[in-house]
Amino acid sequence: MPIENTAGYMIPVLPSNDLSYPFGQQGLDLSDSELRETAYEIFVGACRSSGGGRPLTYVSQSSGRSSDKASSLPSLQRSLTLTAASKVKKALGIKHKKKNNSSESNASSTENRPATIGELMRVQMRISEQIDSRVRRALLRIAAGQLGRRIESIVLPIELLQQFKSSDFPNQREYEVWQKRKLKVLEAGLLLHPKLPLDRKDPSAQKLRQIIRAAHDRPIETGKYSEAFQTLRTITMELASRSSDDYTPDTCHWADGSPLNLRLYQILLEALFDVEEPTSMIEEVDEVLELVKKTWGILGIDEKLHNLCFSWVLFNHYVSTGQVENDFLFAADNLLLEIKKDAKSTLDSVYTKTLCSTLNSMLEWAERGLLGYHESFYRGNIDLMQSILSLALSAATILAEENPRENGGMKVIDVANAKEIEKVRVSRKSTKSQLNSLPSLCILAQDVTDLAFTEKEIYSPILQKWHPLAVGVAVATLHSCFGQEIKKFVSGISELTPGVIQVLIAADKLEKDLVQMAVEDSVNSDDGGKSIIQEMSPYEAEGVIVDLVKSWIKTRVDRLEEWVDRTLQQEEWDPRANRERFAPSAVEVLRTIDETLEAFFLLPIPMHPDLLPELMSGLDRCLQDYILKAKSGSGSRRSFLPILPPLTRCKGGSKLNGVFKKKDRLQISQRRKLLPNTTTNGNDSSHSIQHLCVRVNTFHYIRKDLEVLEKRAIAHLKSNGIREGNFVKKHFELSLSACVEAIQQVCEATAYKVIFHELDHVFYNGLYTTEVSSSSRIEPFLQELEQNLEIIAETVQENTIRTRLITNIMRASFEGFLLILLAGGPSRNFTLEDSSMIQEDFKFLMDLFWSNGDGLPSDLIGKHSVVVKGVLPLLGIDTSLLIEKFKSLVVDNDGHVSSTKSRLPLPPTTEAWGPGEANTVLRVLCYRNDKEATVFLKKNYNFPKKL
């Protein structure tokens, strides 16, 4: 949990037990207190040589504490005085901490302050006065018995064992514990961690193991004449005297093997920190460190190992004391500068192994802190981040030099900038639990944006000291982290929702912000930031939105297509379905299109103008499909027109009896039913005249509503800020064209169905089939036609459409009237006298459509009646004159008949009826009830009299 440091800032604390211990395990059950006592014994023993060769003296503990100080070891006898600023602290970069200046505090401090360095060291190492007295007494005895010998030439535990008996301890148990500790130290220094590798089968080593095991059951007799102890001494000296160094042949190696020596030295260095105030270093650090270095000969320490061990001790102390005193971290980093030099100048494998394990431990801790540096550091303590990052980079750089295959420096940069992934996860988890209308990834995108700007403003100035593209690396990492989230999000999208669009738009905005920051940061780099940008795999959020919207469009268009097919099969085209007399299905399909457009423009996307054409095209196709399917089966002009029967001739001047004509008409009618053009769905109830009118109304309704939809789409685009000039293209072009075509086709089909199907019995198959007389005139047809026109006028309420439909019916009736005269079949024949009545009947037909000025305009009637009016006079021309007229029409330009035979050529049937068209004149002759006409036709064409 966070604690407050000396500067008053709250910083997170990483427990010290999370640190990897770099010096290795002892492999023996030596407690911290036992190791401390051993280290203290070595320290006091090493300091005995500092007296310039003067013998050590000893004063009994009972003589009083002042006497002890007066008779102590010379090096430790040095009095403590307040000195100038510490050179060691200055070199390490540790600031001098002012003590409390109150008089009461000063008096208390002076009273409790150790008087000598030796006393200070005892207090710092938490050694009791009893143990201290025993150690000093033993060392005086050893010195007296081995005058002139260096401390490095003896095995201190052996010498100490011989100096004491059980009577020197408060009780037997305490003595046995003390003896076992000495033996464990020997086992650790000579057997487990010797200076030189030891063969496990070495006789001396095996013998020492046996003695140590035996001592667990029964204490060793350490008297001067004890054979067992002399054996122990001999074996110990044999093992301790093994050396590869010829320069110091008398040096005993019993505490200089790694990691025992490093652990003991670590304990000595830890005494430099005030035991009463752990976040401070003692004022006498220079004097104490000078004495601690006297243990180097015993512990096998040199300047390189000292720097390495001291750096670890400073670092470890910073962490273990709650990461409060940043000076310790700074000092550890400063020592790494010396360590870097040391590492280049040594080939010692033991040192290299220790170096790597120590730096890796530091680096692991630093990386864990840097992974979450946004949570750990801020404006107030940004200097701490700089210290940690400096330490991490220094450690990583040295490691990289030791092992060139690992890019340690870059690893730290990557780690330092990869911490955002944790931030992303934590932030996302927290937002999931919040009741917020925005999707969690939208909030996360904003958080990442804020994080990036914070990175640029606060942290990058620090990171850029070690990496020139710190901002670029950071935003690239952020981009990658969020990219992983957005990739998972996109893979889980099943449909387009407003929330999905919000997330993708937020991702797109975030990406643009991050890319912009990377570009700005890299503008002065060698490659202009290309390498950073290339690392930022695009989210392609816009592309995902486009694909999703296209899928959304396709889904709705497909649904509409299915709906059109299903609904049209059920549509009844009932004129009573609504007041406007159009199909309810048209209302629904247009409502669906309108709702789809509305939903499209409600999508919170920035690319409406780009995707609208695709939507409109799909909707246009659906509506076109509706129109085409709705008009299908309605028929056409050709489907209701009768096929022209073969030409025949009359008998000439005879009246055909009614029985013959009735039989002939039946044959013609049966024949017409078998002809292709007459096979329509005219009897289908869904295609009755009223139903066809409903279809026409429907097409007209669709065409009008399409104009409304077009305007609505333009209004939506304007509301999205799109200028009108950018969408001049008309939509629904297919549907509009289909509507126009459908109205024209169905109006025409309805007209011809009325004339040639509904009224066939009183018109084409009824009018003039016996003779032109009062009993066979046009009145029955006109009556039924008028009834149909009333139904149509009532069903088709739109004036323009109604006019168009009635105009088509007029045109169909005029055409039918001509067909009766020119292609009515052998059941019809006309005399010259019939001409006036026929012309009168046609006038009645025209009058019906004019309806005393309430019907169609007279000019429109006149326009469509031109052909009929041109043909009718031919019925009143004398037969001989008519024959001459015909001959003149079939003779070529040179005045010759266009045939090698004597017969006249048969003019083709063009149906372009007119008084100047040969086939029209020929047909008038065919239906002329006159002998001269019959003979002419027999002679030239041999037409039959009947079919």
mmCIF file of all heavy atoms in Angstrom, residues 174-191:
data_model
loop_
_atom_site.group_PDB
_atom_site.id
_atom_site.type_symbol
_atom_site.label_atom_id
_atom_site.label_comp_id
_atom_site.label_asym_id
_atom_site.label_seq_id
_atom_site.Cartn_x
_atom_site.Cartn_y
_atom_site.Cartn_z
ATOM 1 N N GLU A 174 23.792 -22.929 26.001
ATOM 2 C CA GLU A 174 24.229 -21.753 25.243
ATOM 3 C C GLU A 174 25.605 -22.006 24.633
ATOM 4 O O GLU A 174 25.881 -21.598 23.505
ATOM 5 C CB GLU A 174 24.261 -20.522 26.147
ATOM 6 C CG GLU A 174 24.518 -19.230 25.381
ATOM 7 C CD GLU A 174 24.347 -18.002 26.247
ATOM 8 O OE1 GLU A 174 23.582 -18.059 27.236
ATOM 9 O OE2 GLU A 174 24.998 -16.983 25.931
ATOM 10 N N TYR A 175 26.424 -22.690 25.359
ATOM 11 C CA TYR A 175 27.752 -23.020 24.835
ATOM 12 C C TYR A 175 27.645 -23.936 23.628
ATOM 13 O O TYR A 175 28.333 -23.755 22.616
ATOM 14 C CB TYR A 175 28.601 -23.677 25.929
ATOM 15 C CG TYR A 175 29.881 -24.297 25.401
ATOM 16 C CD1 TYR A 175 30.940 -23.465 24.963
ATOM 17 C CD2 TYR A 175 30.046 -25.684 25.326
ATOM 18 C CE1 TYR A 175 32.103 -24.029 24.476
ATOM 19 C CE2 TYR A 175 31.211 -26.240 24.836
ATOM 20 C CZ TYR A 175 32.244 -25.412 24.404
ATOM 21 O OH TYR A 175 33.402 -25.958 23.908
ATOM 22 N N GLU A 176 26.776 -24.960 23.706
ATOM 23 C CA GLU A 176 26.624 -25.908 22.603
ATOM 24 C C GLU A 176 26.083 -25.217 21.349
ATOM 25 O O GLU A 176 26.516 -25.500 20.228
ATOM 26 C CB GLU A 176 25.703 -27.056 23.019
ATOM 27 C CG GLU A 176 26.320 -27.957 24.087
ATOM 28 C CD GLU A 176 25.370 -29.062 24.522
ATOM 29 O OE1 GLU A 176 24.257 -29.147 23.947
ATOM 30 O OE2 GLU A 176 25.743 -29.847 25.415
ATOM 31 N N VAL A 177 25.153 -24.316 21.568
ATOM 32 C CA VAL A 177 24.620 -23.558 20.427
ATOM 33 C C VAL A 177 25.721 -22.746 19.785
ATOM 34 O O VAL A 177 25.855 -22.681 18.555
ATOM 35 C CB VAL A 177 23.450 -22.656 20.880
ATOM 36 C CG1 VAL A 177 23.059 -21.687 19.764
ATOM 37 C CG2 VAL A 177 22.264 -23.496 21.327
ATOM 38 N N TRP A 178 26.513 -22.091 20.612
ATOM 39 C CA TRP A 178 27.619 -21.275 20.110
ATOM 40 C C TRP A 178 28.611 -22.136 19.344
ATOM 41 O O TRP A 178 29.089 -21.752 18.280
ATOM 42 C CB TRP A 178 28.298 -20.595 21.317
ATOM 43 C CG TRP A 178 29.500 -19.769 20.950
ATOM 44 C CD1 TRP A 178 29.514 -18.490 20.506
ATOM 45 C CD2 TRP A 178 30.871 -20.195 21.016
ATOM 46 N NE1 TRP A 178 30.793 -18.062 20.276
ATOM 47 C CE2 TRP A 178 31.659 -19.105 20.575
ATOM 48 C CE3 TRP A 178 31.499 -21.386 21.405
ATOM 49 C CZ2 TRP A 178 33.051 -19.170 20.520
ATOM 50 C CZ3 TRP A 178 32.883 -21.434 21.335
ATOM 51 C CH2 TRP A 178 33.642 -20.342 20.898
ATOM 52 N N GLN A 179 28.942 -23.320 19.868
ATOM 53 C CA GLN A 179 29.907 -24.210 19.206
ATOM 54 C C GLN A 179 29.362 -24.696 17.866
ATOM 55 O O GLN A 179 30.088 -24.747 16.866
ATOM 56 C CB GLN A 179 30.227 -25.407 20.113
ATOM 57 C CG GLN A 179 31.347 -26.276 19.553
ATOM 58 C CD GLN A 179 31.598 -27.503 20.384
ATOM 59 O OE1 GLN A 179 30.933 -28.533 20.160
ATOM 60 N NE2 GLN A 179 32.512 -27.405 21.362
ATOM 61 N N LYS A 180 28.062 -25.053 17.858
ATOM 62 C CA LYS A 180 27.466 -25.519 16.596
ATOM 63 C C LYS A 180 27.470 -24.425 15.537
ATOM 64 O O LYS A 180 27.640 -24.690 14.348
ATOM 65 C CB LYS A 180 26.043 -26.006 16.849
ATOM 66 C CG LYS A 180 25.988 -27.332 17.597
ATOM 67 C CD LYS A 180 24.544 -27.743 17.861
ATOM 68 C CE LYS A 180 24.497 -29.076 18.629
ATOM 69 N NZ LYS A 180 23.102 -29.469 18.932
ATOM 70 N N ARG A 181 27.309 -23.164 15.986
ATOM 71 C CA ARG A 181 27.353 -22.066 15.019
ATOM 72 C C ARG A 181 28.722 -21.978 14.365
ATOM 73 O O ARG A 181 28.834 -21.785 13.156
ATOM 74 C CB ARG A 181 27.014 -20.751 15.703
ATOM 75 C CG ARG A 181 27.136 -19.545 14.755
ATOM 76 C CD ARG A 181 26.630 -18.276 15.375
ATOM 77 N NE ARG A 181 27.467 -17.814 16.454
ATOM 78 C CZ ARG A 181 28.545 -17.079 16.307
ATOM 79 N NH1 ARG A 181 28.972 -16.771 15.085
ATOM 80 N NH2 ARG A 181 29.251 -16.670 17.345
ATOM 81 N N LYS A 182 29.754 -22.138 15.185
ATOM 82 C CA LYS A 182 31.108 -22.076 14.643
ATOM 83 C C LYS A 182 31.340 -23.188 13.631
ATOM 84 O O LYS A 182 31.974 -22.998 12.595
ATOM 85 C CB LYS A 182 32.141 -22.165 15.770
ATOM 86 C CG LYS A 182 32.130 -20.965 16.718
ATOM 87 C CD LYS A 182 32.607 -19.722 15.970
ATOM 88 C CE LYS A 182 32.553 -18.486 16.850
ATOM 89 N NZ LYS A 182 31.169 -17.991 16.956
ATOM 90 N N LEU A 183 30.806 -24.381 13.950
ATOM 91 C CA LEU A 183 30.981 -25.513 13.039
ATOM 92 C C LEU A 183 30.187 -25.305 11.737
ATOM 93 O O LEU A 183 30.638 -25.680 10.650
ATOM 94 C CB LEU A 183 30.553 -26.812 13.726
ATOM 95 C CG LEU A 183 31.440 -27.247 14.907
ATOM 96 C CD1 LEU A 183 30.830 -28.456 15.614
ATOM 97 C CD2 LEU A 183 32.855 -27.586 14.413
ATOM 98 N N LYS A 184 29.022 -24.704 11.862
ATOM 99 C CA LYS A 184 28.231 -24.423 10.657
ATOM 100 C C LYS A 184 28.937 -23.410 9.766
ATOM 101 O O LYS A 184 28.896 -23.507 8.536
ATOM 102 C CB LYS A 184 26.842 -23.903 11.039
ATOM 103 C CG LYS A 184 25.897 -24.997 11.516
ATOM 104 C CD LYS A 184 24.447 -24.537 11.548
ATOM 105 C CE LYS A 184 24.188 -23.577 12.691
ATOM 106 N NZ LYS A 184 22.742 -23.241 12.803
ATOM 107 N N VAL A 185 29.593 -22.443 10.407
ATOM 108 C CA VAL A 185 30.345 -21.469 9.618
ATOM 109 C C VAL A 185 31.496 -22.151 8.883
ATOM 110 O O VAL A 185 31.758 -21.870 7.711
ATOM 111 C CB VAL A 185 30.874 -20.338 10.522
ATOM 112 C CG1 VAL A 185 31.853 -19.458 9.750
ATOM 113 C CG2 VAL A 185 29.728 -19.512 11.072
ATOM 114 N N LEU A 186 32.160 -23.076 9.571
ATOM 115 C CA LEU A 186 33.223 -23.836 8.917
ATOM 116 C C LEU A 186 32.674 -24.668 7.762
ATOM 117 O O LEU A 186 33.287 -24.761 6.692
ATOM 118 C CB LEU A 186 33.918 -24.732 9.944
ATOM 119 C CG LEU A 186 34.812 -24.024 10.973
ATOM 120 C CD1 LEU A 186 35.311 -25.036 12.000
ATOM 121 C CD2 LEU A 186 35.997 -23.344 10.291
ATOM 122 N N GLU A 187 31.538 -25.297 7.997
ATOM 123 C CA GLU A 187 30.921 -26.110 6.944
ATOM 124 C C GLU A 187 30.561 -25.250 5.739
ATOM 125 O O GLU A 187 30.792 -25.642 4.580
ATOM 126 C CB GLU A 187 29.665 -26.792 7.482
ATOM 127 C CG GLU A 187 28.997 -27.715 6.461
ATOM 128 C CD GLU A 187 27.778 -28.406 7.025
ATOM 129 O OE1 GLU A 187 27.380 -28.109 8.177
ATOM 130 O OE2 GLU A 187 27.195 -29.252 6.311
ATOM 131 N N ALA A 188 30.018 -24.074 6.001
ATOM 132 C CA ALA A 188 29.629 -23.191 4.903
ATOM 133 C C ALA A 188 30.849 -22.692 4.155
ATOM 134 O O ALA A 188 30.866 -22.666 2.910
ATOM 135 C CB ALA A 188 28.809 -22.015 5.439
ATOM 136 N N GLY A 189 31.896 -22.278 4.878
ATOM 137 C CA GLY A 189 33.046 -21.657 4.232
ATOM 138 C C GLY A 189 33.997 -22.619 3.597
ATOM 139 O O GLY A 189 34.675 -22.267 2.617
ATOM 140 N N LEU A 190 34.106 -23.854 4.156
ATOM 141 C CA LEU A 190 35.097 -24.810 3.657
ATOM 142 C C LEU A 190 34.505 -25.900 2.784
ATOM 143 O O LEU A 190 35.197 -26.421 1.891
ATOM 144 C CB LEU A 190 35.836 -25.442 4.831
ATOM 145 C CG LEU A 190 36.679 -24.479 5.683
ATOM 146 C CD1 LEU A 190 37.228 -25.206 6.898
ATOM 147 C CD2 LEU A 190 37.818 -23.877 4.863
ATOM 148 N N LEU A 191 33.263 -26.263 3.050
ATOM 149 C CA LEU A 191 32.664 -27.386 2.321
ATOM 150 C C LEU A 191 31.622 -26.938 1.283
ATOM 151 O O LEU A 191 31.645 -27.383 0.135
ATOM 152 C CB LEU A 191 32.008 -28.352 3.308
ATOM 153 C CG LEU A 191 32.954 -29.005 4.334
ATOM 154 C CD1 LEU A 191 32.180 -29.924 5.263
ATOM 155 C CD2 LEU A 191 34.069 -29.777 3.627
#
